[in-house]
Amino acid sequence: MTRKLAAVLAVAAIALASCGGDVANDVVDEPTPAPTAVPAPTDRDAPPTGNGETVTDTNGMAARLVKPEGGTTDARPSTYDHVEVSDRSATVFYYAGVEPCSVLDRVEVEEGADQVVITLFIGSKAGPETACIALAEYKAVQVELDRELGDRQIVDGAA
């Protein structure tokens, strides 16, 4: 039995030696650190386009102050959210798409004895290759009145 035991142990030793190898000579690859990802700039990172600064309404919401640019295509009357009046100045707050797809073309003001009709005209300056996204932006435009509003009502000319 001693011979059989010696033979079994020899076979086991050979099998273990062929599977395990010499740990001292094994090369262990260190994990390669993942590259640091630098996000590409997006349109959200860019400063707003247009000709305005930010103005805050009485509800604390910031709107981008714009000026009529003219020269748009397909300018149409557009309703607005609300108007805030101070002395002879009216600030009209409205929602519109992003430029160049949605641009304030002009503001028409008709002052009467009982009311002031303010109409915003929104058009486009986008070229035929421009992709326009359906995204609303809160904007405002300041309008000077001929005299203080007083008891007169403001009417949306596009409503």
Side-chain angles (χ1 to χ4, degrees):
M1 272 226 189
T2 312
R3 281 185 174 177
K4 284 187 180 181
L5 183 58
V8 169
L9 288 176
V11 170
I14 292 172
L16 285 175
S18 65
C19 290
D22 187 3
V23 175
N25 291 329
D26 283 349
V27 177
V28 177
D29 290 332
E30 292 293 323
T32 304
T36 304
V38 177
T42 65
D43 290 340
R44 289 178 288 152
D45 299 329
T49 60
N51 54 6
E53 58 193 47
T54 301
V55 63
T56 304
D57 68 10
T58 55
N59 296 320
M61 292 193 46
R64 191 163 61 84
L65 188 61
V66 298
K67 295 179 182 175
E69 294 186 22
T72 66
T73 57
D74 201 25
R76 298 179 182 181
S78 180
T79 60
Y80 45 83
D81 188 64
H82 70 282
V83 179
E84 295 179 6
V85 179
S86 174
D87 299 323
R88 291 179 44 200
S89 177
T91 304
V92 182
F93 293 89
Y94 66 101
Y95 290 92
V98 295
E99 295 175 2
C101 300
S102 181
V103 176
L104 180 62
D105 184 82
R106 67 186 184 277
V107 178
E108 292 182 0
V109 180
E110 296 176 28
E111 294 192 48
D114 297 327
Q115 65 184 12
V116 176
V117 179
I118 301 175
T119 309
L120 303 182
F121 287 84
I122 307 292
S124 176
K125 286 192 173 183
E129 299 296 318
T130 304
C132 293
I133 59 173
L135 179 68
E137 183 179 12
Y138 193 46
K139 300 178 184 183
V141 60
Q142 291 182 332
V143 178
E144 293 301 317
L145 304 176
D146 290 337
R147 60 184 176 94
E148 287 189 21
L149 184 63
D151 293 339
R152 299 180 295 169
Q153 252 188 327
I154 294 184
V155 176
D156 187 343

